[in-house]
Amino acid sequence: MGKKRKHTESEAVAVLKKENDAPERPKRTLLGWKDKNEVKDNEVVVVVKDVDSPFFRNKEKVLVTCSRRINYRYRHLMLNVVSLLPHCKKDNKVESKETKGATLNELVELKNCSSCLFFECRKAKDLYLWMAKCPNGPSVKFLVSAVHTMDELKLTGNHLKGSRPIVTFSTNFEKDAHWKLLKEMLLQIFETPKDHRKAKPFHDHVFVFSIVDDHIWFRNYQISVPHNDADKLPRGGLDKMTLVEVGPRFCLNPIKIFGGSFGGPTLYENPFYVSPNQIRALQKKKNAGKYAKKVKAKTRRKMHEMSNTLEPDEFADMWKE
């Protein structure tokens, strides 16, 4: 048998191999490829990060869920929104209680998400949408109205599932501070990250958010382009492109903006908001007023007939014989 190599010789060979190897590849971080200077001192690791790096990687993930006892139309609307957002995660229904904020924040943390869309149904009639950035806020509560799902509309537009949308806003969003905040939240939630694994790397539809009568109206359009070789568009040929609506449609009426996630200090409150309960109560009073008017008209007619009795007609019994 040969002699064993001494430890000093093996250590010297290992050092030579390390010197001849290529430098180690830097670790990939949230903000791109960076060199980290790690200093170990008494088992404490100090990491020096380059703050002024030009790289930014969007890792937005949205949790979409709803409350129990939700209406079927509103559930279909939620499923349509889930199909439009490839970077979202759908979860089970959550009980609509006072403690729903803590429950949803915990779910968002467990699902490794950064935002949340919570569809809350009340009295099987009214739909509220909570839009929150977790866990530090802010959050917005909307009343959803004018709901039309894709199955109801049966529009001719169509686009690939998972393709990235062009998110557009009307110029009204630059008018006030609360509209600017809502624009930024909508942009972060509805914009698909560039390198997401479920996203297609091109744009073929447009999300349109417009403000009319202090309400946010949502529309989804397909970008239709002719595909024939003769009609092939040159770069920048926008005059031949057309927009075909896909759906769904809904309207958002902002109620309150909170500083925290699903609660906290109130940053903005809509002074023109009227709850659906008040609208229904006024409608009941109006209908009750109609019935009261009918009853009063009947009593007035009876009083008039009693005060103005007709004289007996002498020819009334003439033809009975």
Side-chain angles (χ1 to χ4, degrees), residues 68-117:
R68 296 191 180 278
R69 296 171 293 276
I70 192 172
N71 195 358
Y72 73 97
R73 293 185 67 246
Y74 300 150
R75 181 168 50 83
H76 290 176
L77 174 66
M78 183 193 69
L79 295 177
N80 290 341
V81 172
V82 168
S83 66
L84 293 178
L85 304 178
H87 60 289
C88 75
K89 293 183 179 180
K90 186 176 173 295
D91 200 71
N92 297 331
K93 295 179 181 179
V94 178
E95 192 66 43
S96 179
K97 293 181 179 179
E98 295 180 356
T99 58
K100 64 176 178 294
T103 306
L104 289 168
N105 284 328
E106 187 176 356
L107 279 175
V108 169
E109 186 178 357
L110 289 173
K111 292 288 184 178
N112 195 20
C113 296
S114 56
S115 304
C116 181
L117 291 176

Side-chain angles (χ1 to χ4, degrees), residues 235-288:
R235 182 169 292 183
L238 300 176
D239 51 345
K240 293 185 179 180
M241 293 185 183
T242 57
L243 295 179
V244 184
E245 188 173 357
V246 182
R249 299 176 180 175
F250 55 88
C251 175
L252 302 176
N253 184 12
I255 303 171
K256 280 186 180 181
I257 301 177
F258 300 97
S261 178
F262 297 100
T266 303
L267 303 180
Y268 170 77
E269 185 172 1
N270 189 1
F272 304 107
Y273 170 70
V274 181
S275 68
N277 292 332
Q278 292 180 348
I279 295 174
R280 283 192 287 266
L282 292 173
Q283 189 66 31
K284 283 183 180 179
K285 285 183 181 179
K286 190 176 179 181
N287 296 338

Side-chain angles (χ1 to χ4, degrees), residues 77 81 144-147 190 216-219 248-252:
L77 174 66
V81 172
V144 186
S145 58
V147 174
F190 283 89
I216 301 175
W217 297 80
F218 173 81
R219 294 291 184 271
R249 299 176 180 175
F250 55 88
C251 175
L252 302 176

Side-chain angles (χ1 to χ4, degrees), residues 201-220:
F202 47 85
H203 304 273
D204 66 344
H205 63 290
V206 185
F207 288 165
V208 181
F209 294 94
S210 55
I211 299 175
V212 180
D213 297 333
D214 292 330
H215 290 62
I216 301 175
W217 297 80
F218 173 81
R219 294 291 184 271
N220 179 24

Side-chain angles (χ1 to χ4, degrees), residues 89-229:
K89 293 183 179 180
K90 186 176 173 295
D91 200 71
N92 297 331
K93 295 179 181 179
V94 178
E95 192 66 43
S96 179
K97 293 181 179 179
E98 295 180 356
T99 58
K100 64 176 178 294
T103 306
L104 289 168
N105 284 328
E106 187 176 356
L107 279 175
V108 169
E109 186 178 357
L110 289 173
K111 292 288 184 178
N112 195 20
C113 296
S114 56
S115 304
C116 181
L117 291 176
F118 178 56
F119 292 83
E120 183 180 8
C121 187
R122 298 277 186 86
K123 298 184 177 180
K125 299 176 183 177
D126 309 325
L127 179 65
Y128 297 92
L129 174 62
W130 284 87
M131 192 180 296
K133 298 292 293 180
C134 300
N136 300 321
S139 57
V140 193
K141 185 179 182 181
F142 295 101
L143 174 67
V144 186
S145 58
V147 174
H148 299 283
T149 61
M150 291 184 184
D151 297 334
E152 290 178 7
L153 295 172
K154 298 186 184 298
L155 296 169
T156 57
N158 189 15
H159 60 79
L160 283 175
K161 186 175 182 180
S163 59
R164 299 178 65 206
I166 300 173
V167 187
T168 62
F169 297 89
S170 61
T171 56
N172 312 22
F173 279 94
E174 301 297 329
K175 186 171 59 175
D176 295 321
H178 65 278
W179 292 122
K180 291 181 181 179
L181 176 61
L182 291 177
K183 176 183 177 181
E184 185 62 30
M185 291 187 66
L186 291 169
L187 182 64
Q188 291 186 18
I189 290 175
F190 283 89
E191 183 186 22
T192 304
K194 182 179 179 182
D195 296 326
H196 195 271
R197 59 187 181 88
K198 292 185 180 179
K200 307 289 192 305
F202 47 85
H203 304 273
D204 66 344
H205 63 290
V206 185
F207 288 165
V208 181
F209 294 94
S210 55
I211 299 175
V212 180
D213 297 333
D214 292 330
H215 290 62
I216 301 175
W217 297 80
F218 173 81
R219 294 291 184 271
N220 179 24
Y221 296 98
Q222 175 203 357
I223 302 174
S224 179
V225 182
H227 295 285
N228 298 332
D229 293 336

Side-chain angles (χ1 to χ4, degrees), residues 30-61:
L30 179 64
L31 302 178
W33 297 97
K34 290 185 179 180
D35 291 325
K36 292 184 179 180
N37 300 324
E38 298 185 0
V39 180
K40 293 187 177 180
D41 187 11
N42 296 330
E43 297 181 356
V44 177
V45 178
V46 181
V47 181
V48 181
K49 294 185 179 181
D50 186 10
V51 181
D52 299 329
S53 176
F55 299 104
F56 173 73
R57 187 181 177 193
N58 187 4
K59 297 184 73 175
E60 183 77 21
K61 293 179 184 177

